[in-house]
Amino acid sequence: MKTYSTTSALRAALSAARRAGKTVAFVPTMGNLHEGHLSLVRRAAREADVVVVSIFVNPLQFSASEDLGNYPRTLAADKEKLFAEGVQFLFQPQVEEIYPEGMEQHTKVSVPAVSEQHCGASRPGHFTGVATIVNKLFNMVQPDTAVFGEKDFQQLSVIRKMVKDLCMPINIIGVATARAEDGLALSSRNGYLDDSQRNTAPLLHRVLQEMREAIACGYDSYSDLELYAKLALKDGGFEPDYVNICDARSLEQVRPDTEEVVILAAAKLGSTRLIDNVTLTLNPSADWGMLAAN
């Protein structure tokens, strides 16, 4: 595995691979890699000849009140995991490489509609930071395929819309959420949980599963289900941010012609903010791309 810190060096290496007729798949990460990230790497390896993984903790997507300084950085362990997976290229740029004139002076990418609700409402500017860094990394790596996890469903939706709207020739692949045996979605932030909180954390997924089962059985009072979920989470020790039932394609309210529903949730457990989602097919004939219930 070769590590590069500059765009010019990475592009030179990838140009040689492309001249040899090889395709490129890309997995952008912020490091502190776990099994969820590695599942993306494995999918990328099935999709292309060459896999590029980036590790960059993007300050533009963190607000002043969030945990940028404390975000876990485990580069040595990350490199070992990527090497074991057979990754050919690691891109590890510094902030100065990404934002040479500073973040305030940098061009920003804003994706309307899908970025404005849910986490977008709770974390103003977050998805502008995400879209900007992903756009820039795409231009640096110029992949044929990019792979993202479905755990952050809204982020995946934002990236898909950005790629479509800007006519980027990149195939975006979503991979089902990797989970612990008790159902907790794998996340770098799980490491912030103490033992008691870790025992409580799977409640988030259980509540979402109950909501999905209710909808599958025909219960369509979505506002009541959302209220039930918030109360159940609060009773369990969470501070709910939101629990929203919406159209999986638009992330807006469910309509009579909605084919897939996604239930999105974010809640704090202590100081740790956890997100999760589950999906449900309402119309089995949907042809825009079935989403795996996770």
Side-chain angles (χ1 to χ4, degrees):
M1 182 176 72
K2 297 182 179 180
T3 301
Y4 300 95
S5 59
T6 66
T7 307
S8 58
L10 177 67
R11 280 183 173 174
L14 291 175
S15 292
R18 290 191 182 94
R19 285 195 299 272
K22 296 181 178 180
T23 54
V24 177
F26 178 43
V27 182
T29 82
M30 294 205 299
N32 192 226
L33 304 182
H34 50 66
E35 182 60 27
H37 296 108
L38 300 183
S39 70
L40 307 184
V41 170
R42 293 174 197 134
R43 178 61 183 271
R46 295 197 298 271
E47 295 292 331
D49 304 307
V50 173
V51 175
V52 181
V53 176
S54 66
I55 294 178
F56 179 68
V57 181
N58 178 34
L60 190 60
Q61 67 192 68
F62 289 78
S63 73
S65 63
E66 291 181 324
D67 56 354
L68 174 61
N70 294 324
Y71 195 86
R73 293 162 171 82
T74 55
L75 184 59
D78 292 346
K79 285 185 173 181
E80 289 182 6
K81 292 173 182 176
L82 295 175
F83 179 81
E85 294 293 336
V87 170
Q88 294 97 327
F89 298 107
L90 170 62
F91 185 39
Q92 187 200 342
Q94 299 301 307
V95 173
E96 294 76 17
E97 177 73 10
I98 301 295
Y99 305 116
E101 298 180 8
M103 292 187 295
E104 292 301 319
Q105 300 301 315
H106 199 281
T107 298
K108 297 176 178 65
V109 178
S110 178
V111 181
V114 294
S115 66
E116 294 164 2
Q117 302 182 60
H118 319 300
C119 278
S122 303
R123 305 177 68 188
H126 170 69
F127 285 117
T128 294
V130 169
T132 300
I133 186 58
V134 172
N135 185 301
K136 184 149 191 175
L137 288 170
F138 281 173
N139 285 321
M140 290 171 158
V141 177
Q142 299 176 335
D144 301 289
T145 298
V147 184
F148 295 84
E150 291 179 352
K151 187 199 76 173
D152 195 333
F153 194 95
Q154 187 173 13
Q155 173 178 276
L156 179 57
S157 298
V158 167
I159 292 165
R160 282 178 165 153
K161 179 171 172 56
M162 178 186 73
V163 166
K164 178 183 177 183
D165 288 355
L166 299 183
C167 303
M168 295 180 175
I170 303 171
N171 179 33
I172 303 299
I173 294 177
V175 174
T177 304
R179 299 186 181 277
E181 290 185 3
D182 57 11
L184 178 64
L186 299 186
S187 169
S188 296
R189 287 190 168 89
N190 292 350
Y192 297 156
L193 302 172
D194 63 29
D195 290 343
S196 176
Q197 291 168 339
R198 177 60 186 81
N199 289 333
T200 299
L203 175 65
L204 179 59
H205 186 54
R206 291 200 300 271
V207 168
L208 297 186
Q209 286 179 306
E210 291 174 10
M211 296 175 70
R212 180 172 63 194
E213 290 168 5
I215 296 171
C217 291
Y219 195 86
D220 60 1
S221 181
Y222 295 153
S223 59
D224 288 348
L225 277 177
E226 291 168 351
L227 178 59
Y228 156 77
K230 291 173 185 176
L231 292 174
L233 290 171
K234 191 170 184 179
D235 288 346
F238 282 88
E239 294 179 24
D241 180 356
Y242 65 82
V243 180
N244 295 333
I245 302 169
C246 53
D247 184 297
R249 197 171 191 177
S250 66
L251 302 191
E252 297 179 353
Q253 288 186 337
V254 175
R255 297 165 51 91
D257 60 351
T258 291
E259 296 170 338
E260 294 278 343
V261 163
V262 62
I263 308 172
L264 303 170
K268 277 191 173 182
L269 194 54
S271 61
T272 304
R273 188 176 187 272
L274 301 178
I275 61 172
D276 205 345
N277 69 84
V278 297
T279 59
L280 173 69
T281 301
L282 294 184
N283 177 6
S285 66
D287 60 3
W288 64 276
M290 301 288 283
L291 296 170
N294 52 60

